[in-house]
Every structure is written in structure tokens, then in C-alpha cells.
């Protein structure tokens, strides 16, 4: 597999760089309202993204596909049908799994927000549960970060000053 001067290794490295660049170009196209081009680019390069990119980039690509499909169907004059609304949910699920693996809280917020909008349009009010889950995840993450920080650094706060009275023996 490896050629004389290692050009195969460099090619694989550039494939990963090319895949990340395609994600960035697709994001720019989406922002410029060129939804069909962004969706076509991501669809044509998805195999390369899944083979060569890290988990975060793969999840970003899935999120971009879901955004593209939502924007594409929202641009239609008649509005979105239920089947068109269910289409991006599978991509949002895959994006959520990827963002959860790398603990990307801000991106998870986007996933939950889009899922909430879809469920709202479906008149399915399960988005309240999703918002509660998001709050629990963020609070749990902050609490675990604080416990790790307080174990590694000496901290003084009001809770450490107050001492419980010793029980009297008797």
C-alpha cells in the first residue's frame, strides 16, 4: 500500500484535509442560501468524511445535512409535509451521537433546538422533554467540571467555611 516515498500516506492526510474543507465550503454555501449545492457537496463527499474525518467533523457534517434538508423544504411554497420533517431526524440522531462522544455541548444545543422545531411543527410536544434533558446534561457537565476543578485546585467558598457542629456524646 505504501509507495516508495510515502506518497500514499500524504494522500490519506490530504483526503482528511479535503473532507474538512468540503464541510467548511458546505457550511458557507448553506449560509449563502445555496442549499442544493451544499447538500449535493455533502452527499458526494460523505464517504470521504466518514472514512477520514474525526468524530466531531462527522457529526458536523450530519448536522449540516439536517440543516440543508430543513432549509430546502422550508423554502418550498407549500410548506413541509410530515415525511419531509422526519427526514432530517435521522441525521440529527447521528449528529447527537457524535457530539455526545466528544462532549460538544454547544453543538448539542443546536441539535436539540432543531429537533424541538421539528417536533413543534409536527404538533408533537415532546420537545419539552428534550429541553429538560438538555438542561440536565448541561448541569451535570458543569457539576462534574466543578468537582474535577475543586479536586485539583484548592478552593475556598462559603460551603467550606461553615462547619457542622459535632454531635454531643451522651
Amino acid at each position: 500500500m505504501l509507495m516508495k516515498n510515502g506518497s500514499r500516506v500524504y494522500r490519506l492526510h490530504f483526503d482528511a484535509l479535503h473532507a474538512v474543507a468540503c464541510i467548511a465550503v458546505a457550511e458557507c454555501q448553506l449560509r449563502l442560501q445555496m442549499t442544493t449545492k451544499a447538500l449535493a457537496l455533502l452527499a458526494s463527499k460523505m464517504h470521504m468524511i466518514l472514512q477520514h474525518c474525526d468524530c466531531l467533523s462527522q457529526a458536523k457534517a450530519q448536522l449540516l445535512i439536517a440543516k440543508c434538508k430543513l432549509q430546502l423544504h422550508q423554502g418550498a411554497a407549500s410548506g413541509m409535509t410530515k415525511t419531509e420533517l422526519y427526514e432530517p431526524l435521522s441525521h440529527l440522531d447521528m449528529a447527537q451521537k457524535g457530539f455526545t462522544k466528544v462532549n460538544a455541548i454547544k453543538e448539542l444545543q443546536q441539535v436539540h433546538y432543531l429537533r424541538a422545531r421539528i417536533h413543534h411543527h409536527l404538533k408533537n410536544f415532546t420537545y419539552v422533554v428534550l429541553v429538560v434533558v438538555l438542561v440536565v446534561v448541561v448541569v451535570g457537565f458543569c457539576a462534574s467540571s466543578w468537582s474535577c476543578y475543586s479536586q485539583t485546585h484548592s478552593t475556598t467558598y462559603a460551603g467550606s467555611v461553615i462547619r457542622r457542629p459535632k454531635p454531643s456524646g451522651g
Side-chain angles (χ1 to χ4, degrees):
M1 285 282 226
L2 190 62
M3 297 185 177
K4 281 185 181 179
N5 59 0
S7 62
R8 176 80 173 143
V9 174
Y10 292 121
R11 184 175 167 264
L12 291 176
H13 174 70
F14 287 127
D15 283 347
L17 188 62
H18 179 72
V20 171
C22 288
I23 294 171
V25 168
E27 188 173 8
C28 291
Q29 287 176 335
L30 180 65
R31 288 183 182 176
L32 293 171
Q33 305 295 323
M34 298 167 42
T35 310
T36 54
K37 287 186 179 183
L39 191 58
L41 177 65
L42 287 171
S44 67
K45 299 297 180 183
M46 190 50 112
H47 67 281
M48 186 183 296
I49 292 168
L50 293 175
Q51 285 178 353
H52 299 288
C53 286
D54 58 339
C55 192
L56 182 64
S57 297
Q58 291 175 8
K60 281 183 182 180
Q62 294 291 345
L63 180 62
L64 277 174
I65 289 174
K67 285 180 178 181
C68 285
K69 288 187 177 186
L70 283 173
Q71 191 172 3
L72 188 68
H73 294 306
Q74 279 182 341
S78 63
M80 297 177 74
T81 64
K82 282 189 176 185
T83 56
E84 291 171 342
L85 280 170
Y86 281 118
E87 233 177 280
L89 284 176
S90 63
H91 296 288
L92 288 175
D93 289 338
M94 288 186 271
Q96 181 180 357
K97 287 177 187 174
F99 290 139
T100 304
K101 283 181 185 177
V102 295
N103 209 7
I105 301 296
K106 197 169 191 173
E107 287 82 3
L108 277 171
Q109 284 178 331
Q110 290 180 9
V111 169
H112 291 303
Y113 172 72
L114 288 175
R115 186 174 287 141
R117 283 185 52 198
I118 291 171
H119 285 293
H120 178 72
H121 284 295
L122 287 171
K123 303 296 183 211
N124 186 2
F125 295 105
T126 58
Y127 66 94
V128 174
V129 175
L130 294 174
V131 170
V132 170
V133 168
L134 177 64
V135 169
V136 169
V137 166
V138 169
V139 169
F141 175 72
C142 292
S144 67
S145 297
W146 173 252
S147 67
C148 291
Y149 179 80
S150 63
Q151 288 173 359
T152 57
H153 297 73
S154 62
T155 57
T156 57
Y157 56 95
S160 65
V161 174
I162 301 172
R163 295 194 173 112
R164 293 184 184 167
K166 293 183 181 179
S168 59

